[in-house]
Amino acid sequence: MIKAIIIDDERKSGENLKALIEKYCKHLKVIATADSVESGIEAIANEKPQLVFLDIELNNGTGFDILSSLDSTDFEVIFTTAFEQYALKAIKFAAVDYLLKPIDVEELTAAVFKAEERLNHREANKNFEVLMQNLKSASSNHKIALPTTQGLTFVPVSHILRCEADGSYTWFYFKDGRKLIVSKKIKEYEELLSAYGFYRVHHSHLVNMEEIEKYVRGDGGYVVMTDGTMVDVSKRKREHFLAALDKA
């Protein structure tokens, strides 16, 4: 059995989630509930859960306040929220799941399955570190944490030239000629890096707009990056891309 706790300041919402877990997630056991930042921190310390269902917006703070208070964690987090605007890009990038309220049963069971898989592979600490690094860097030094087979590589966003999809993986190409493969799909990096001047010009390519040297017209055309790399622009993206390029 996986030990889980629910942190939600809406009593009815927490009760509904517990009922769904008991009915559809037989391998989970809800061992405690909490309704605030303080009681959530206390429940985590006392119960040592393997899985935490964490509401983002709490009466006296946020779920992120709880995570920020912890030095490390060996549990997995599934965020629950009625609002889509809360740092979902960072959440997705860190590969921790989230559920929008009202919670859908299929999405719940899928999220729990993924959490169980990560617990089995003991990746919770890495996911937490990636999440917190990206939440902090988003408002400070503009670095992102890239999970690799060796651990985490912290990279200034400004050093990234472009990204290229490779199935379920993404290649990062840097200004100094280095490259790095990361086990996340390019869509997750599109969501994270768009705020820093990156544009997905093609389903397989995400480029740093500041590093485009020129655009060559064609069916969709292509861009030439500062390192000489030529990257195709898809036909359906061309008009929107050119408008974005004018604003860059």
Side-chain angles (χ1 to χ4, degrees):
M1 295 289 285
I2 294 175
K3 298 187 296 181
I5 67 173
I6 297 172
I7 302 174
D8 195 318
D9 64 348
E10 296 179 3
R11 183 177 59 83
K12 185 175 181 181
S13 177
E15 290 176 351
N16 287 342
L17 176 56
K18 184 178 180 182
L20 289 175
I21 291 171
E22 291 174 347
K23 185 174 182 179
Y24 296 102
C25 306
K26 301 295 186 181
H27 53 299
L28 259 62
K29 181 178 178 60
V30 178
I31 56 175
T33 60
D35 59 5
S36 67
V37 172
E38 291 78 13
S39 62
I41 294 171
E42 184 178 357
I44 290 171
N46 292 339
E47 303 296 337
K48 296 180 172 49
Q50 296 165 282
L51 176 60
V52 175
F53 291 89
L54 182 57
D55 191 11
I56 293 179
E57 188 173 80
L58 301 169
N59 282 333
N60 62 340
T62 69
F64 300 119
D65 294 331
I66 293 177
L67 296 181
S68 296
S69 72
L70 305 175
D71 294 327
S72 62
T73 179
D74 57 0
F75 58 82
E76 189 58 75
V77 178
I78 296 177
F79 288 99
T80 61
T81 179
F83 307 96
E84 294 193 43
Q85 72 268 30
Y86 283 102
L88 297 188
K89 292 178 183 179
I91 295 169
K92 283 185 175 182
F93 180 65
V96 283
D97 219 326
Y98 69 96
L99 301 170
L100 290 175
K101 300 176 184 178
I103 292 173
D104 178 82
V105 171
E106 289 187 3
E107 292 181 356
L108 170 64
T109 55
V112 168
F113 176 79
K114 286 188 286 186
E116 185 177 16
E117 287 289 295
R118 287 196 290 269
L119 285 169
N120 288 340
H121 290 86
R122 300 183 181 274
E123 291 183 356
N125 273 319
K126 182 174 72 174
N127 292 331
F128 174 84
E129 191 173 353
V130 172
L131 169 63
M132 296 313 301
Q133 175 63 29
N134 284 301
L135 286 173
K136 293 173 182 176
S137 66
S139 59
S140 57
N141 58 3
H142 304 301
K143 284 187 177 182
I144 61 172
L146 301 179
T148 67
T149 55
Q150 288 78 35
L152 296 174
T153 299
F154 299 94
V155 177
V157 171
S158 61
H159 289 190
I160 303 169
L161 185 70
R162 63 186 179 92
C163 304
E164 183 175 354
D166 186 0
S168 296
Y169 296 84
T170 301
W171 281 100
F172 276 73
Y173 293 85
F174 302 100
K175 294 180 184 179
D176 61 4
R178 292 181 303 119
K179 64 179 183 178
L180 180 71
I181 192 168
V182 178
S183 57
K184 304 292 178 189
K185 292 183 178 180
I186 196 170
K187 178 176 176 57
E188 298 187 38
Y189 295 108
E190 176 189 11
E191 294 173 344
L192 180 70
L193 293 172
S194 61
Y196 300 104
F198 284 71
Y199 190 92
R200 193 169 179 183
V201 296
H202 186 278
H203 73 273
S204 296
H205 299 285
L206 179 66
V207 301
N208 185 342
M209 299 282 276
E210 294 292 328
E211 297 300 317
I212 294 175
E213 192 167 84
K214 63 180 177 179
Y215 167 73
V216 179
R217 296 185 183 278
D219 189 28
Y222 63 89
V223 294
V224 179
M225 306 301 292
T226 52
D227 68 344
T229 302
M230 294 181 290
V231 179
D232 288 333
V233 178
S234 69
K235 185 176 180 180
R236 68 181 184 85
K237 294 258 189 179
R238 180 180 59 188
E239 185 176 345
H240 190 273
F241 164 70
L242 291 176
L245 193 60
D246 285 339
K247 297 177 183 178

